[in-house]
Amino acid sequence: MRVLSIQSSVSYGHVGNSAAVFPLQRLGIEVMPVFTVCFSNHTGYGSWRGPMLTGDDVREIVTGIEERGGLDGVDVVLSGYQGGDDIGDAILDAVARVKRRSPDAIYACDPVLGNAKSGCHVAPEVQDLIRDRVVPRADLITPNQFELGFITGTSPDTLDSTLEAVDRARELGPSTVLVTSVERPDRPDGTIEMLAAAGEEAWIVQTPHLPFTVNGSGDVTAALFSAHFARTGDAADALARTASSVFELLENTLAAESRELRLVESQEAYARPSMRFEPRRLR
């Protein structure tokens, strides 16, 4: 299996490609990372060093990969945070190139826009890019509940309204949707859920809600689910494997009192997930 992953890179810590590549490699997947930034650390620290790449830089790198035959046999194109519309255009160009050579490839997009607490934290032009041009081209998207609402112009909160928003998102283009954080008011205290819909089926999985947030966990979630789903086409299995792996990663990070994901220390969770959380079929 081969993945072209176009995301940010940091030297210290784990976000973007620095979060997604290693777990995929532990699954035995050949990953071709293309960086959109090369920063010292993620921007959550308030300061960082290093360059941003341009859309032309990304195109040049993808062109070089194509010249080596590297776009043949790609199974997944994975993208995350898009810092500008020029990067978005370059990603869409890469998707088109891959699909010309590998027509069955899946474009899996994590439509990073923001969250319910802080709202949108990307520029207006990026909001428009993701909603109007990127999502319709994607085969699989992995929004959180807030991002799902933004994309669809809805306010999902209950399970029914979240399912309705998922269906609306699928009408825009993606055939598969993973909602990475479902916080419905009637869920048991101390829990959080993920919901996946593909074909005629929808599934939800519930895990304990750990009392912290850490940068990069969404990048790992999107990468693992996309890879598992591309391999099997089984949304329930992909959901179960992803939930188990990510929960163990977060447990290890919390136990270590670390601000950064314990990504390497948790590697067995990706290769051999415990399958401790069983999805429930919604339809």
Side-chain angles (χ1 to χ4, degrees):
M1 187 171 181
R2 178 177 287 182
V3 173
L4 178 69
S5 183
I6 308 176
Q7 302 193 59
S8 58
S9 173
V10 297
S11 296
Y12 179 81
H14 302 289
V15 299
N17 268 334
S18 301
V21 170
F22 179 67
L24 293 176
Q25 290 172 330
R26 278 299 276 125
L27 292 177
I29 294 170
E30 182 71 34
V31 187
M32 298 179 291
V34 176
F35 301 151
T36 56
V37 306
C38 293
F39 286 168
S40 55
N41 52 270
H42 67 70
T43 59
Y45 285 96
S47 63
W48 60 93
R49 296 179 183 272
M52 296 181 64
L53 279 72
T54 66
D56 286 340
D57 292 328
V58 171
R59 284 189 180 87
E60 279 291 291
I61 294 167
V62 173
T63 297
I65 295 171
E66 186 174 30
E67 289 170 346
R68 305 285 81 76
L71 299 188
D72 298 339
V74 168
D75 298 283
V76 178
V77 180
L78 182 64
S79 72
Y81 173 73
Q82 300 183 21
D85 54 3
D86 65 325
I87 293 293
D89 287 336
I91 291 171
L92 292 177
D93 179 65
V95 170
R97 291 199 208 185
V98 166
K99 293 204 171 200
R100 282 196 294 269
R101 293 180 173 272
S102 304
D104 294 330
I106 291 172
Y107 173 32
C109 170
D110 184 6
V112 180
L113 293 163
N115 56 64
K117 291 183 179 178
S118 60
C120 276
H121 52 62
V122 299
E125 63 268 22
V126 176
Q127 298 173 26
D128 294 341
L129 167 78
I130 289 174
R131 182 188 58 227
D132 301 333
R133 292 165 53 206
V134 174
V135 168
R137 295 274 297 278
D139 301 294
L140 187 162
I141 57 172
T142 61
N144 60 34
Q145 205 168 16
F146 169 82
E147 291 161 343
L148 176 66
F150 183 90
I151 290 166
T152 58
T154 64
S155 300
D157 52 0
T158 66
L159 188 54
D160 285 344
S161 63
T162 300
L163 279 169
E164 290 172 4
V166 165
D167 289 340
R168 187 169 298 188
R170 295 176 69 199
E171 290 171 359
L172 298 174
S175 58
T176 304
V177 176
L178 171 70
V179 187
T180 58
S181 57
V182 177
E183 300 187 55
R184 54 190 174 98
D186 57 340
R187 73 189 189 280
D189 289 342
T191 65
I192 193 166
E193 294 164 318
M194 289 198 296
L195 186 154
E200 300 300 317
E201 299 180 354
W203 300 80
I204 195 164
V205 66
Q206 187 176 96
T207 69
H209 189 186
L210 298 174
F212 79 128
T213 58
V214 61
N215 296 83
S217 58
D219 301 319
V220 177
T221 301
L224 290 176
F225 182 86
S226 299
H228 289 311
F229 184 75
R231 270 183 167 168
T232 68
D234 187 332
D237 180 73
L239 187 60
R241 291 180 181 278
T242 301
S244 293
S245 296
V246 173
F247 185 79
E248 186 171 335
L249 167 62
L250 293 176
E251 268 192 322
N252 293 342
T253 303
L254 180 62
E257 299 181 348
S258 172
R259 180 169 181 175
E260 297 292 344
L261 289 171
R262 309 308 289 174
L263 193 80
V264 175
E265 295 86 343
S266 303
Q267 59 184 284
E268 290 304 305
Y270 325 132
R272 283 175 281 277
S274 63
M275 306 299 283
R276 62 199 282 192
F277 305 109
E278 183 175 353
R280 174 171 62 91
R281 186 168 181 170
L282 300 174
R283 63 186 184 201

